[in-house]
């Protein structure tokens, strides 16, 4: 898991087969996808069911719609979780992998709240504080050389950015929001523990987002509780320049966002259908 151009420090994180922190890298998602595509079966097997790669100096990150995502060194935590459900004795069905974005969103929200930041989930892949973006998530599927489906799900959390370093006006950071400001390794440990906990409880429920987790509450119920998009007036930008305006009224049991238009009609939209979702102006 180490190249000649960058240093990877191994970490011991309970619940993870492999974990490491890059001193610098172009993209942790790209690094993870390269590992999954490796022809070396032994190297892939060492990734187990869960592994994680992270850095606080990412030089060429990408978000949804291939938008560039870069930050000053040390100002953000970038982490990518490698999920290989086929490595489990009770593997998830491939269709359940679509929930990984939401699982990481819930884990990140919990981690931020523990640090004193009252974050909420903006469907489908952002975390916001007072309407300002503090983190973004990108999930990508991967077919390993042997044909098994795996996934990488990456997150970038603005940690130590000051106002002059923010990438856009509607962004914020943990430092700006008055967080306890742990170092990035401590933050990664907490985030990884939360992600593994929610993921494994979801897997124990058979990958059914409507089934109660060990806490007695289902994954989709947790999402409804913490998704701040619900109840907001939104504009859904669809391919072909079509725009649907209405009120986001609920999350469907399959994770789609349900929007009621001005005529009272309710339609659901999948992540793959939505180009952008924002408060309507």
């Amino acid at each position: 898991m180490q190249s000649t151009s960058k240093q990877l420090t191994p970490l011991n994180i309970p619940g993870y087969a492999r974990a490491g922190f890059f001193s610098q890298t172009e993209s942790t998602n790209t690094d993870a996808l390269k590992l999954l595509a490796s022809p070396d079966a032994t190297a892939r097997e060492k990734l187990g069911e869960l592994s994680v790669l992270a850095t606080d100096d990412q030089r060429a990150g990408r978000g949804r719609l291939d938008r560039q995502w870069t930050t000053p060194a040390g100002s953000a935590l970038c982490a990518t979780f490698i999920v290989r459900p086929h490595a489990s004795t009770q593997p998830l069905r491939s269709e359940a992998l679509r929930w990984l974005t939401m699982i990481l969103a819930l884990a990140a929200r919990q981690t931020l709240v523990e640090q004193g930041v009252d974050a909420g989930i903006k469907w489908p892949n952002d975390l916001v504080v007072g309407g300002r973006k503090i983190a973004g998530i990108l999930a990508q599927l991967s077919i390993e050389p042997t044909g098994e489906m795996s996934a990488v799900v990456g997150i970038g959390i603005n940690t130590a950015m000051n106002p002059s370093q923010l990438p856009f006006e509607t962004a914020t950071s943990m430092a700006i929001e008055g967080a306890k400001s742990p170092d990035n390794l401590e933050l990664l440990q907490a985030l990884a523990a939360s992600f593994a906990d929610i993921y494994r409880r979801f897997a124990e429920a058979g990958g059914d987002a409507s089934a109660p987790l060990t806490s007695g509450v289902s994954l989709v119920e947790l999402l409804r509780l913490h998704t701040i998009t619900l109840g907001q007036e939104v504009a859904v930008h669809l391919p072909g320049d079509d725009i649907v305006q209405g009120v986001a009224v609920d999350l469907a049991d399959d994770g789609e966002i349900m929007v009621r238009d001005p005529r009272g009609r309710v339609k659901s939209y999948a992540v793959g259908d939505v180009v952008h979702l924002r408060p309507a102006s």
Side-chain angles (χ1 to χ4, degrees):
M1 294 178 66
Q2 186 171 346
S3 72
T4 58
S5 61
K6 54 193 176 186
Q7 180 179 356
L8 180 68
T9 300
L11 302 174
N12 181 17
I13 301 181
Y16 289 81
R18 300 293 297 272
F21 200 93
F22 286 112
S23 58
Q24 174 190 317
T25 189
E26 291 187 350
S27 165
T28 54
N29 265 30
T30 299
D31 293 325
L33 289 169
K34 287 179 179 179
L35 289 174
L36 290 173
S38 169
D40 186 343
T42 301
R44 294 197 313 274
E45 289 169 2
K46 288 181 179 179
L47 296 172
E49 184 181 11
L50 287 182
S51 284
V52 61
L53 301 175
T55 187
D56 60 5
D57 189 1
Q58 179 167 269
R59 301 298 179 90
R62 294 285 174 178
R64 290 189 71 230
L65 308 180
D66 203 34
R67 296 188 182 100
Q68 188 173 4
W69 195 86
T70 58
T71 59
S75 68
L77 173 67
C78 303
T80 294
F81 294 86
I82 301 172
V83 182
R84 304 174 68 246
H86 52 88
S88 170
T89 55
Q90 294 181 313
L92 281 174
R93 302 183 306 274
S94 59
E95 56 266 28
L97 295 177
R98 66 186 177 196
W99 291 99
L100 291 176
T101 296
M102 299 298 191
I103 290 172
L104 184 52
L106 285 169
R109 180 202 166 273
Q110 177 179 315
T111 303
L112 288 168
V113 168
E114 289 172 351
Q115 296 299 322
V117 178
D118 187 17
I121 299 169
K122 180 185 175 187
W123 191 92
N125 67 323
D126 290 341
L127 286 105
V128 299
V129 182
R132 296 182 178 274
K133 181 175 176 177
I134 196 169
I137 298 170
L138 177 66
Q140 297 169 273
L141 295 178
S142 175
I143 304 295
E144 296 189 25
T146 47
E148 291 102 341
M149 178 80 75
S150 296
V152 302
V153 53
I155 186 169
I157 303 175
N158 298 335
T159 54
M161 284 185 191
N162 61 49
S164 67
Q165 294 173 319
L166 295 175
F168 42 84
E169 290 183 358
T170 55
T172 189
S173 71
M174 293 178 65
I176 291 171
E177 298 301 327
K180 300 174 184 177
S181 298
D183 68 39
N184 283 326
L185 284 177
E186 290 177 351
L187 190 66
L188 174 63
Q189 292 272 358
L191 176 64
S194 183
F195 179 79
D197 174 60
I198 299 171
Y199 168 78
R200 291 208 160 95
R201 287 193 285 139
F202 176 64
E204 288 170 4
D208 183 353
S210 298
L213 304 179
T214 52
S215 61
V217 180
S218 71
L219 184 69
V220 74
E221 287 171 333
L222 285 173
L223 290 167
R224 286 173 179 142
L225 181 63
H226 298 302
T227 299
I228 64 167
T229 308
L230 300 181
Q232 290 192 25
E233 189 81 17
V234 297
V236 184
H237 291 231
L238 301 173
D241 296 326
D242 290 333
I243 300 175
V244 177
Q245 289 191 320
V247 176
V249 293
D250 201 0
L251 289 177
D253 286 346
D254 61 2
E256 293 188 351
I257 193 80
M258 301 174 67
V259 177
R260 184 177 61 238
D261 69 19
R263 297 176 63 181
R265 298 172 300 186
V266 176
K267 185 176 179 181
S268 59
Y269 299 91
V271 172
D273 296 332
V274 177
V275 174
H276 191 56
L277 180 64
R278 62 171 181 258
S281 57

